[in-house]
Amino acid sequence: MAQSNGKLEHSVKIPEIKFTKLFINGEFVNSISGKTFETIDPRTEQVLAQVAEGDKEDVDLAVKAARHAFDEGPWPRLPGAERRRIMLKFADLVDENAEELAAIDTMDAGNLYSFAKGQYIHGAANQIRYYAGAADKIHGETLKMSREFQGYTLMEPIGVVGLITPWNFPSTMFAIKVGPALAAGCTVVVKPAEQTPLSALYYAHLAKRAGVPDGVINIVTGYGSTAGAAISSHMDIDLVSFTGSTVTGHRIMQAAATSNLKSVCLELGGKSPFIIFKDADVDKIVPLALIGCLYNQGQICVAGSRIFVQEEIYDKFLSKLEEHVKNWVVGDPFEPNVHQGPQVDKKQYDKVLSYIELGKKQGATLFSGGEALDRKGYYIEPTIFTDVTDDMAIATDEIFGPVMSVMKFKTVEEVIRRANSTKYGLAAGVMTNDLNIANTVSRSIKAGTIWINCYFAFDDDLPIGGYKMSGFGKDMGMDALQKYLKTKSIATPIYNSPWL
Ligand code: NAD
């Protein structure tokens, strides 16, 4: 691992934090209790801003505004083309403010600034555009009923939606949930993660400028056990779309079951296998494997953190990995040459370090890294373990940090069995030029996304979501739009009939 040189990107403008209050019914307001909480800059461990701490009463107000906007307001009733026009304007405003939004997420979440400014914020704008394009193409089907009836379906917006998001990519999370909900004609109450509340408030301000009517987007910043729990148990919310940990997913489903039986979509954790077969080009695959595991400090749900390497190329893979990891730069995410910034907060930092200790204790070999950096901020070395067995905690648990487990395998059947021996099923990477192996493995792995000879090949049109305990209900692609809609069936006799 290399340390960064300390020179920030010369064009960086550190923005003033303008939006720190709840956004309810089109206005920025204090929480009813007047309480605030600190959001911390993980680069410096300093307080970045004091943010309004929403609780149950604030969620009630936000839901009331969203309910009124849904039942009485224009948004669900607008022609789809008009929703599209407003959403396209919203997306343009996101692009225009990309530098500021990128800096906010870099300071709040530790996302790499060059990536955020160059791709990730524009990616959020494009997600909104993708769903804007769908807003006037939502229609049902004409049915062929068995008797002499005409039958058809209407696709109606599901209603008031609670959107609860994690901290790893605050802008992407906002766009991939709010985009399809708006296109469908829903109204929303968003609860961003308490670690990264700032950009969601900025997006709400831009949406208002674009012409999204008051009450359609509401943001309640605050903690999961209070504001989040109030959303998942609310009697007047029709759907909760959640991204976060499997533990919280259980709680949200329980709350939905014991309140109003609202629909629930859960995008949860993962422990994805990255499988490298003996015919793969090791020189090309090693950098991909590193990024696939360490990207965003390893804080990505689809991180390929279990690397399975076929025994014929195992030694070569390790020696190339050693070369590449030496040039992996850890440092301030505002610096342009940096590959890895800080973990999002002290809690995650401690959690990752404790897994590294557990890996050593359980007998894995520490191949590289393994320590925190001796500097301010939540920086951890990229850490690679070898001689990892499938039952070790570093191989079974989602660490959500820069920790890679490398394992050796012999046969196709063996690696399929071992790749599937996890409670998760979010993604997998399959590196081979052998078509038969690629086809067999991709159909045998129980995961929602399989990347063959690539990794993180995200696309607006590619649905992402889990199998098994990684959850259900997709984000992204046209699949995501479906969860914000419900089907109404309508039947009428074609002419006077005995059923009239
Ligand atoms: P988390 O579950 O702790 O928190 C996620 C959100 O849920 C936050 O907004 C939090 O405040 C809220 N929350 C917490 N307790 C709640 C409760 N009882 N009721 C309602 N809301 C509650 O997860 P995290 O630590 O913020 O994020 C990391 C996790 O997210 C990882 O497991 C990761 O794999 C997962 N993730 C999944 C995807 C995906 O697409 N599948 C994407 C990103 C992250």
Side-chain angles (χ1 to χ4, degrees):
M1 181 213 85
Q3 285 232 33
S4 63
N5 59 17
K7 290 194 187 117
L8 300 197
E9 191 173 313
H10 63 275
S11 65
V12 174
K13 290 191 208 87
I14 301 290
E16 167 206 348
I17 305 297
K18 298 182 200 130
F19 306 109
T20 57
K21 295 184 179 181
L22 313 179
F23 187 77
I24 298 180
N25 211 16
E27 302 293 333
F28 284 102
V29 294
N30 289 320
S31 60
I32 291 174
S33 68
K35 283 205 242 167
T36 59
F37 65 100
E38 293 174 345
T39 184
I40 306 285
D41 184 337
R43 304 171 307 140
T44 60
E45 306 178 32
Q46 302 294 310
V47 177
L48 187 56
Q50 291 283 347
V51 180
E53 184 184 333
D55 206 330
K56 185 175 178 317
E57 295 71 27
D58 305 287
V59 168
D60 284 343
L61 276 186
V63 174
K64 211 167 150 198
R67 174 55 61 195
H68 182 74
F70 187 77
D71 288 347
E72 315 282 337
W75 190 252
R77 290 159 195 84
L78 283 177
E82 184 57 9
R83 283 204 298 277
R84 181 188 62 203
R85 187 189 64 75
I86 295 170
M87 289 178 69
L88 289 175
K89 188 151 180 221
F90 180 20
D92 288 346
L93 288 173
V94 172
D95 277 339
E96 281 169 30
N97 291 276
E99 276 191 38
E100 194 164 340
L101 282 161
I104 289 172
D105 276 353
T106 300
M107 291 188 290
D108 214 11
N111 296 138
L112 295 185
Y113 179 72
S114 52
F115 167 72
K117 190 178 78 166
Q119 294 178 40
Y120 153 68
I121 303 294
H122 297 303
N126 284 338
Q127 278 287 332
I128 296 166
R129 277 189 196 102
Y130 175 86
Y131 291 109
D136 61 348
K137 299 170 194 73
I138 296 170
H139 35 65
E141 289 178 318
T142 306
L143 309 171
K144 184 151 173 41
M145 292 178 68
S146 55
R147 294 180 297 189
E148 298 195 333
F149 284 83
Q150 167 177 268
Y152 64 96
T153 57
L154 290 179
M155 302 305 289
E156 298 187 331
I158 199 163
V160 175
V161 178
L163 303 172
I164 303 177
T165 58
W167 41 260
N168 55 343
F169 290 102
S171 288
T172 307
M173 292 298 152
F174 185 90
I176 66 176
K177 293 208 183 283
V178 172
L182 289 185
C186 296
T187 61
V188 303
V189 177
V190 184
K191 202 217 66 72
E194 52 271 38
Q195 296 87 344
T196 56
L198 298 176
S199 53
L201 296 168
Y202 200 112
Y203 283 107
H205 149 79
L206 295 181
K208 181 169 168 119
R209 274 180 59 197
V212 174
D214 293 349
V216 172
I217 297 179
N218 304 275
I219 316 280
V220 179
T221 47
Y223 292 103
S225 57
T226 51
I231 289 174
S232 42
S233 61
H234 205 286
M235 293 299 288
D236 209 15
I237 288 183
D238 302 296
L239 159 75
V240 169
S241 175
F242 169 73
T243 299
S245 62
T246 298
V247 172
T248 307
H250 278 288
R251 293 196 182 119
I252 287 178
M253 213 162 156
Q254 270 164 2
T258 52
S259 57
N260 62 340
L261 295 176
K262 59 178 69 64
S263 304
V264 174
C265 297
L266 304 175
E267 298 288 334
L268 308 177
K271 190 74 187 175
S272 299
F274 185 110
I275 307 169
I276 308 164
F277 288 92
K278 62 185 178 199
D279 68 300
D281 180 342
V282 173
D283 290 331
K284 283 192 184 150
I285 297 301
V286 165
L288 189 63
L290 263 185
I291 288 182
C293 179
L294 304 179
Y295 185 64
N296 201 41
Q297 297 70 259
Q299 301 168 150
I300 181 160
C301 53
V302 290
S305 52
R306 289 186 296 149
I307 310 283
F308 291 98
V309 188
Q310 202 157 20
E311 64 179 356
E312 290 85 344
I313 55 163
Y314 184 80
D315 292 338
K316 184 172 177 199
F317 177 82
L318 282 188
S319 80
K320 283 278 164 204
L321 191 61
E322 192 174 16
E323 269 173 40
H324 278 267
V325 82
K326 272 188 201 140
N327 299 320
W328 185 261
V329 183
V330 180
D332 189 318
F334 275 111
E335 294 177 42
N337 64 331
V338 159
H339 298 111
Q340 183 187 317
Q343 306 311 124
V344 75
D345 65 4
K346 175 85 166 71
K347 193 171 153 214
Q348 288 297 318
Y349 172 83
D350 288 342
K351 178 182 158 193
V352 174
L353 291 173
S354 73
Y355 268 108
I356 292 172
E357 285 315 304
L358 203 54
K360 292 180 200 163
K361 215 163 106 193
Q362 292 186 338
T365 303
L366 186 63
F367 179 78
S368 81
E371 301 290 335
L373 265 61
D374 184 17
R375 60 178 282 179
K376 260 280 181 239
Y378 305 122
Y379 296 93
I380 297 177
E381 291 178 332
T383 298
I384 300 172
F385 283 104
T386 55
D387 302 317
V388 180
T389 56
D390 295 338
D391 57 347
M392 287 179 185
I394 54 170
T396 59
D397 296 4
E398 183 185 47
I399 302 174
F400 227 53
V403 183
M404 177 191 279
S405 293
V406 184
M407 293 171 274
K408 200 189 281 186
F409 73 92
K410 284 188 193 340
T411 66
V412 175
E413 296 69 29
E414 175 199 342
V415 80
I416 290 171
R417 179 181 50 75
R418 292 174 63 192
N420 278 332
S421 69
T422 165
K423 65 181 179 187
Y424 295 114
L426 207 47
V430 182
M431 308 300 140
T432 180
N433 293 312
D434 184 320
L435 194 58
N436 292 331
I437 292 180
N439 285 337
T440 305
V441 177
S442 55
R443 282 159 189 257
S444 306
I445 301 280
K446 296 186 181 79
T449 302
I450 312 286
W451 285 302
I452 300 172
N453 293 332
C454 59
Y455 211 74
F456 295 155
F458 293 112
D459 191 275
D460 296 341
D461 205 32
L462 190 80
I464 294 284
Y467 279 25
K468 303 197 285 188
M469 287 178 77
S470 292
F472 51 86
K474 303 282 180 183
D475 276 331
M476 301 175 67
M478 292 304 283
D479 282 41
L481 187 64
Q482 294 307 316
K483 68 189 184 193
Y484 299 100
L485 296 167
K486 60 188 173 200
T487 307
K488 179 178 278 176
S489 299
I490 299 184
T492 180
I494 294 169
Y495 51 84
N496 277 349
S497 73
W499 292 283
L500 267 176

